[in-house]
Structure formats: structure tokens, C-alpha cells
Amino acid sequence: MHRSLDGVRVFTYSQWNPKFDHRSLSRPIVLSEFFPPDSLLLEVVVSRPFTTEVEIAVGDRITHLAEFRMIPANQPEMVKRATAEIDRAIESPGLILATFHRSLNGTRMFNYGQWESKEAFEAILKQPGFNPDKPYWEGLARNEFHLYNVVHIEVKAA
């Protein structure tokens, strides 16, 4: 469970065995004072370091979650651009891991990154291509990002 630094948002991140049928899960009960949860099936398309598993731990790290919304026809090009830029991003001081996930319906991509500090994340926003004024995703997607702290984890026993 991740809580945004501004205290307004919460998100969860779960990884499932590829053979797990998510349809067997019971539907969550949503409290009427909240928006219904936005749940998507995602696939990891690029990750640095080279792994499809994200290690999440409660602690001082900062989590960056960026949501890119696009028309399905733009998703293949967005995957190509994200793949090209992730190698440059991982060289940024303080970036621990970066992973891009694509939605199976083609309308979104998510960038999940772990940073040593908020300052380290803010430094990448000054670099060409990562600067919101002229980003690498320009013309393909709209982007919104927020910073979070991990506040709770559950790990299935082996």
C-alpha cells in the first residue's frame, strides 16, 4: 500500500503468477464516499535493473507513479520511447529501479520508480526528455505523476 506524499491518494501494487486467474477474486466493496477503484490488468514491458519483479519495502524510499493515458494506436510507440529512455533514466543518481507497465487494453502505461529521495526524483525533471515542458512522450500521451511512500506490504508465504 502506497500513500501519496500530499496525503490525497492511495494505490496498491500487486504482482501475480501469470497462470493466476484474477477473475476468481471477490469484487471489493467500495465505500460510497470514495471513487470506485481503478483496476487494470498490466504487463511489464521494460524494467531496469533487468527484472519483471518489483521489490517493494516499507521505508524511506520515494515511489514515483506516473500514469500515461493514450489512444491504443499510440501504445506501441510509447513502449518504444519508454524502452529507449529507461536506460538513460537509470543512470540518474538516486534512481533505484524503473519499470514500465502497459495496460492490456492499450489505453495506458504506468511508470513505477523507486528513488532514494524526493530530491533525487526532482533532479531528473530538469534533464532533457524528462522535463515536463518537452517530454519524451510528447504527442503520444498525457501524463500525471505523484510521489508516494510505502506504508504497508503483504507477501504471500512460499
Side-chain angles (χ1 to χ4, degrees):
M1 176 92 47
H2 299 69
R3 179 182 57 213
S4 64
L5 298 187
D6 64 9
V8 175
R9 293 165 192 81
V10 172
F11 88 88
T12 61
Y13 180 100
S14 302
Q15 290 186 310
W16 301 91
N17 179 316
K19 295 181 181 172
F20 177 77
D21 184 358
H22 70 282
R23 294 171 295 191
S24 66
L25 296 173
S26 60
R27 303 287 299 170
I29 297 172
V30 180
L31 300 175
S32 61
E33 65 265 26
F34 296 105
F35 293 107
D38 186 10
S39 180
L40 291 171
L41 291 178
L42 306 168
E43 171 186 48
V44 174
V45 291
V46 61
S47 182
R48 300 293 183 274
F50 295 93
T51 181
T52 57
E53 293 194 23
V54 174
E55 183 181 328
I56 298 173
V58 174
D60 293 333
R61 291 180 182 174
I62 296 294
T63 299
H64 157 245
L65 181 70
E67 177 184 21
F68 300 89
R69 289 182 180 244
M70 66 207 71
I71 61 171
N74 286 353
Q75 194 184 64
E77 179 61 25
M78 185 64 191
V79 169
K80 285 193 330 193
R81 288 190 194 181
T83 300
E85 293 297 330
I86 199 169
D87 289 326
R88 199 164 61 88
I90 203 65
E91 298 300 320
S92 298
L95 180 56
I96 298 164
L97 75 82
T99 303
F100 280 90
H101 304 71
R102 72 172 188 91
S103 67
L104 299 184
N105 69 5
T107 62
R108 297 193 214 170
M109 281 185 62
F110 290 88
N111 170 221
Y112 182 97
Q114 290 180 357
W115 296 82
E116 291 176 359
S117 68
K118 183 179 177 185
E119 294 75 24
F121 170 77
E122 289 170 346
I124 199 172
L125 296 179
K126 297 173 184 167
Q127 294 182 23
F130 300 107
N131 184 310
D133 295 331
K134 186 87 169 136
Y136 67 85
W137 60 87
E138 188 171 40
L140 288 179
R142 287 180 293 125
N143 174 264
E144 180 179 333
F145 69 85
H146 301 281
L147 300 178
Y148 298 82
N149 290 115
V150 176
V151 294
H152 180 76
I153 61 170
E154 289 285 329
V155 178
K156 182 178 178 178

